Each structure stands twice: as C-alpha cells, then as structure tokens.
Amino acid sequence: MTSARRKTYGVKGAPYLFLLPATVLFALFFALPIGYAVWLSLHKVEVKGLGLGKGAREETWAGLGNYTDALTDPELLDGALHVLGYGVIVVPVMLGLALLFALMLDTERVRLAPFTRLAIFLPYAIPGVIAALLWGFLYLPDVSPFYFVLDKLGMPQPDLLDGGPLYIALSNIAVWGGTGFNMIVIYTSLRAIPAEVYEAAKLDGCSQLQVALRIKIPMVAPSLVLTFFFSIIATLQVFSEPTTLKPLTNSISTTWSPLMKVYQDAFGKADTYSAAATAVIIAVATLVLSFGFLRAANSRNRQEEAR
C-alpha cells in the first residue's frame, strides 16, 4: 500500500475513530440495558415444589404473557390516570411561566437581567429529591410556616397532601424546578432573533405587546415545541416527587405512578420480569406520544410554510 493510499485511508477512517468512544458508551449504557430489559420481559420464573433446592426455580419463556398481565393490571391504569392529571397541570403552567419570564427578560427596560435569569434558573439546579423534601415539609401543617400564618390570620388551612390538592402540591414542585430550564431555552431563541426585525416593527408602530404576540412567540415556536416535547417525557417519567412525599402522606401509594409501579415490582415484589415488561410499555408509550407530537408539529409547520 503506497503512502498516498495510507493517507487517504487514514483520513476516511478518522471520523469513525472519533465516533468509537461514543458508540461504545452508547452500546454499553443504553442499547445493552434496553436489550436486556426486553429479554427479561419475555421470560418468567417457574417455581417447582416448595421452591427450595437446586433447580427449584427455573427461568422459562413467557412470550407476551408479562405484557398482557401488565396491560390488564388496574394499578398501571390508575398510575397512568394519575400521571395524566398531573401532566394537565404541570405542562401548560410550566411552559406558560417559562414563556412569560423569557419575554419579560427580553424587553429593553428589564433591570438586573443577569441576576433575574439566575434566580429563575437556580431551582432547576437543585436535585429533585431535595426539592421534594423541602416542599414536603412546607406542606406539613405541624412544621410549615405557611400554616402558622394562616392559623394566626384565622384562614382555612387546606391539606395539600390529601385528595385533589395532592396534584397541585406535586405539580408545584415540578413547575418550581422546571420553569427555569425551559425559560433559558426560550430566552436563548429570543436573543437569536435579528435586531432588524424589532426595529422594523417599531417603525410600523407596534407596541411591546404586539411585538411579543406577532413576532417573538411565532419565531420561537420551534423552542416551544422542544420544551413541550421534553416536558411530556418528564411528566410520563415522574418518580422522585411522589416517592419522596410518600412517607409524609397516606394518599400516595407505592404504585402512584407507572415508574413507581416498576420500582415496586422489581424491588418490592422481586419480580424483575414483570417490572421489565412494564418498563418497556412505558418506553413504547413515551416513544409513540413523542413521535406523534413531533409529526403533528412538523405537519403544521409545512402547512404554514405552504400558505
């Protein structure tokens, strides 16, 4: 092989060499666990006799039996309904506040913009478990300063960890922690809009509100789609908030959300096979919903471009 051919081969192979570490990590920590979960979901343990001794517990092929049991399990359906109610509150409120804060920070008259951005984003940097613990103690009537103030004012003291208010309590934690991240994404898109667009709008006599409604929001629509996409995924995978608040109330069961059911099946009941099947179902549902939303968003963008 001549030196010229070696150089050409080296240049062509360089990109694959750079991709090799990422490919190995992807295979080891993403593709392999998914494949193993799918393999587990298609098997089950068959117990012979009393289940004692060598060979008493044998792993056998289950086919789609675990998926059938999971889909007909009322606990999984109840968990899905809980997540639906939780998401109906979290997603619109969080994205609405993120868009509002981003628009306010993008105005010319805003003061202390760097400090305000940091203050809004800072809750996102706090781990979800820590945030849930902090809010959990603020929800407890015996230790919360809010209940003390309400008691002194003679006002009613709602129990936020029971019944319907529980959804508001859980949603508040997610909104408090996720608004900052979504605000940064939307604000970055706003800063990328050319200044000439705003100058032309001012020459046409547009007010700040008209600029926001007719220029800024339509131009950051891709960022809104992206943040909505991330929010949907995070909602379907809610786990840390209800799990952390569970010791503080009897209203949250061990299977309150689908992921909590996966955890309970795997570590509470030691049934990793059923847990794997439920996890695969959640992953497929997330993929289908995400793909459907992105396809609908792309279809709408094509229709607007055609006009």
Side-chain angles (χ1 to χ4, degrees):
M1 184 181 291
T2 63
S3 60
R5 288 183 178 179
R6 289 177 180 174
K7 286 184 178 180
T8 304
Y9 180 78
V11 171
K12 291 182 177 180
Y16 300 100
L17 185 62
F18 285 113
L19 288 173
L20 182 60
T23 303
V24 172
L25 291 175
F26 176 83
L28 288 177
F29 297 102
F30 191 80
L32 187 61
I34 291 178
Y36 183 60
V38 173
W39 185 86
L40 282 176
S41 67
L42 298 174
H43 291 77
K44 65 180 180 179
V45 169
E46 196 172 283
V47 180
K48 298 178 181 179
L50 297 177
L52 304 175
K54 187 177 180 180
R57 300 173 64 88
E58 182 180 359
E59 189 175 66
T60 60
W61 176 260
L64 299 178
N66 290 328
Y67 291 97
T68 303
D69 294 339
L71 291 174
T72 56
D73 192 340
E75 290 183 343
L76 181 61
L77 179 60
D78 290 341
L81 294 176
H82 292 156
V83 169
L84 178 62
Y86 170 83
V88 167
I89 300 174
V90 170
V91 175
V93 173
M94 182 168 58
L95 295 185
L97 289 176
L99 177 61
L100 177 62
F101 290 149
L103 291 173
M104 293 174 64
L105 289 172
D106 194 54
T107 58
E108 297 178 353
R109 299 180 181 180
V110 65
R111 298 179 180 179
L112 302 175
F115 173 78
T116 305
R117 287 198 304 269
L118 179 62
I120 298 174
F121 178 78
L122 191 59
Y124 176 75
I126 299 176
V129 175
I130 303 300
L133 280 175
L134 293 173
W135 281 105
F137 284 109
L138 291 177
Y139 294 152
L140 286 177
D142 294 335
V143 297
S144 174
F146 299 123
Y147 283 89
F148 176 79
V149 173
L150 291 175
D151 182 52
K152 293 300 181 181
L153 295 176
M155 300 177 65
Q157 305 173 25
D159 188 358
L160 296 177
L161 294 178
D162 187 24
L166 177 63
Y167 287 91
I168 299 176
L170 291 171
S171 301
N172 174 65
I173 300 173
V175 170
W176 181 79
T179 299
F181 171 80
N182 294 310
M183 180 272 297
I184 290 295
V185 174
I186 300 172
Y187 177 75
T188 304
S189 297
L190 288 173
R191 301 302 296 174
I193 299 176
E196 294 81 3
V197 177
Y198 299 146
E199 293 175 0
K202 290 180 181 178
L203 292 176
D204 290 338
C206 292
S207 63
Q208 289 288 343
L209 180 60
Q210 290 174 326
V211 170
L213 295 177
R214 299 180 181 180
I215 297 177
K216 292 184 177 182
I217 294 179
M219 294 192 74
V220 300
S223 296
L224 293 174
V225 171
L226 179 66
T227 52
F228 184 82
F229 175 72
F230 288 155
S231 300
I232 289 294
I233 294 176
T235 299
L236 293 174
Q237 297 178 351
V238 61
F239 177 79
S240 60
E241 292 88 351
T243 302
T244 305
L245 292 183
K246 183 184 175 304
L248 305 180
T249 176
N250 294 325
S251 299
I252 301 178
S253 64
T254 55
T255 58
W256 190 86
S257 72
L259 278 187
M260 291 178 67
K261 175 171 172 51
V262 172
Y263 182 88
Q264 178 65 17
D265 289 345
F267 301 101
K269 300 179 181 178
D271 189 358
T272 56
Y273 305 94
S274 296
T278 306
V280 172
I281 292 172
I282 296 172
V284 172
T286 304
L287 178 63
V288 170
L289 289 175
S290 302
F291 179 77
F293 170 73
L294 290 178
R295 187 171 182 178
N298 291 333
S299 176
R300 184 176 180 181
N301 290 335
R302 293 193 194 98
Q303 292 177 359
E304 292 179 354
E305 291 175 357
R307 293 176 185 175

